Every structure is written in C-alpha cells, then in structure tokens.
Amino acid sequence: MAESYKPTIKEVEKYLKLWDTLENYVLQENALDKLFFETYPHNEDISEILIKASALNDFYSTNIFSIFPVAKHIHSLEIDMRLKSKDISLVNDIALVDMNGKTKNFYSFATKYCSHHDPINYPIYDIYVEKVLMALNKRDKFSKFGKKDLKDYKRFKEIIIEFRKYYGLDEFNLKQIDRYIWQLGKEFFPRKY
C-alpha cells in the first residue's frame, strides 16, 4: 500500500463514485438485493436458502464446491430472528459447517450472507479488506488487532468501526466503508492469476 495514502472523506466519495461505474458489480448487487430483499427475504424454506447461497457463491466466487450442506446448515440455525436483532454472533455460527465429518469455516461467505440481509449492520470480510486493514493499521495504528482478530466477526466489526472513526469517516455507513475498503484492496493488492 502506498506509504503516503490516507483515507479521507474525499477519497471515500471518489471510490463510491467509481463503484457506480462498475457495471458488473452494480448489476450483481442489484440482482442479489432483489433476491434477498424482495423475492426471498426469509430463511425458512431450504430451497430459497439454497438459491440465495448459490447466487452468492457464484457472484462472489467463494469457492464452496458443495453448497447444499451450507444451505442446510443455515436452515437449521433458524436465523431470521437473529438477523432481525442484529446478532453479530450469527456470522461465526453460519461460517462453521460440517462437511462429511469435517468442520469447514466459510467465514467470508457467512459475512456476505448476513450482509445481504442487512448491509448496514453486517460489513463483509474478504482478503482485500483484510490486506487494507492490516497495511493501514501497521502504519497508522488505528486499532489494536492481529490478523486472526479479523476472523472473529464481533472484533472484525469493531475494527471497521474503529477504522471509520480514526480517519474521520463517520458520515459513511458500514456498507459504504465496505465498498471503499474493498476497492482499495483490489487496487493496492491485485491478485495474480
């Protein structure tokens, strides 16, 4: 990450405008919003959960090769009341899925699943967000955390809020901060395929 780079209101606004020009991401998000908010807003029917989980897995390339056990797990948790009460422990509960006798941690997917039900209260974790937070914290020390803390959702959300406060970005909601940090990560830490 460029040593001189500093998050500012102007920078966030610039990246939020840039987001609006990314047709594929904007259309995917609109499709997911329609699916999660209008078509299947609840999580009582396993087939509806399966459709939402499959769409997320595809659009976000979360690489879950067998989505049915994940959907079945979400269904077993009866998550609607927990989402309504903004229960952040839900993310870690969704993340841990038994797959053929082994527990898999689909943490990034779980943040996305909750976020698409309530984007303001559930920021999304992914590798780009991790890299930006780690790099800026190493330089600016906006919070006390290590990489492993980012995989504890309660702590992850606190770190995002501390980031926002430290850089004076409180006018932006968590979804806007999420989009900003993610784009920074793609720019400063591009994946090499």
Side-chain angles (χ1 to χ4, degrees), residues 40-69:
Y40 303 127
H42 304 290
N43 295 280
E44 295 156 0
D45 182 324
I46 184 78
S47 62
E48 294 175 5
I49 296 168
L50 187 57
I51 290 168
K52 291 189 292 188
S54 295
L56 273 181
N57 188 43
D58 182 55
F59 285 172
Y60 280 102
S61 304
T62 56
N63 298 318
I64 299 173
F65 300 113
S66 181
I67 201 71
F68 178 72

Side-chain angles (χ1 to χ4, degrees), residues 47-184:
S47 62
E48 294 175 5
I49 296 168
L50 187 57
I51 290 168
K52 291 189 292 188
S54 295
L56 273 181
N57 188 43
D58 182 55
F59 285 172
Y60 280 102
S61 304
T62 56
N63 298 318
I64 299 173
F65 300 113
S66 181
I67 201 71
F68 178 72
V70 176
K72 194 172 174 183
H73 173 66
I74 292 168
H75 185 255
S76 76
L77 293 172
E78 299 179 358
I79 69 171
D80 288 335
M81 287 306 295
R82 292 176 72 186
L83 283 166
K84 191 173 185 178
S85 68
K86 302 168 186 6
D87 177 358
I88 56 176
S89 70
L90 179 59
V91 171
N92 290 86
D93 290 345
I94 289 174
L96 300 175
V97 180
D98 181 57
M99 304 276 281
N100 300 321
K102 291 183 182 169
T103 300
K104 298 278 190 177
N105 190 343
F106 298 121
Y107 179 69
S108 179
F109 171 85
T111 69
K112 293 168 173 107
Y113 196 84
C114 290
S115 181
H116 278 83
H117 282 92
D118 184 351
I120 301 302
N121 290 297
Y122 291 95
I124 293 175
Y125 166 88
D126 78 3
I127 195 68
Y128 292 123
V129 172
E130 174 187 294
K131 287 178 184 267
V132 169
L133 293 174
M134 293 300 293
L136 287 174
N137 195 52
K138 183 178 180 184
R139 186 188 73 198
D140 297 339
K141 310 213 181 330
F142 64 83
S143 177
K144 279 192 152 183
F145 70 91
K147 190 186 249 188
K148 144 181 138 191
D149 294 313
L150 297 174
K151 298 284 182 90
D152 174 293
Y153 196 73
K154 180 179 185 294
R155 186 65 189 118
F156 171 71
K157 185 175 177 181
E158 290 169 354
I159 292 163
I160 294 285
I161 291 167
E162 290 165 0
F163 168 91
R164 182 174 68 178
K165 184 174 179 61
Y166 180 85
Y167 293 108
L169 306 174
D170 289 323
E171 68 186 65
F172 300 103
N173 66 41
L174 293 181
K175 184 63 177 177
Q176 292 169 318
I177 294 295
D178 184 38
R179 286 180 175 165
Y180 164 63
I181 295 174
W182 180 78
Q183 287 181 91
L184 277 184

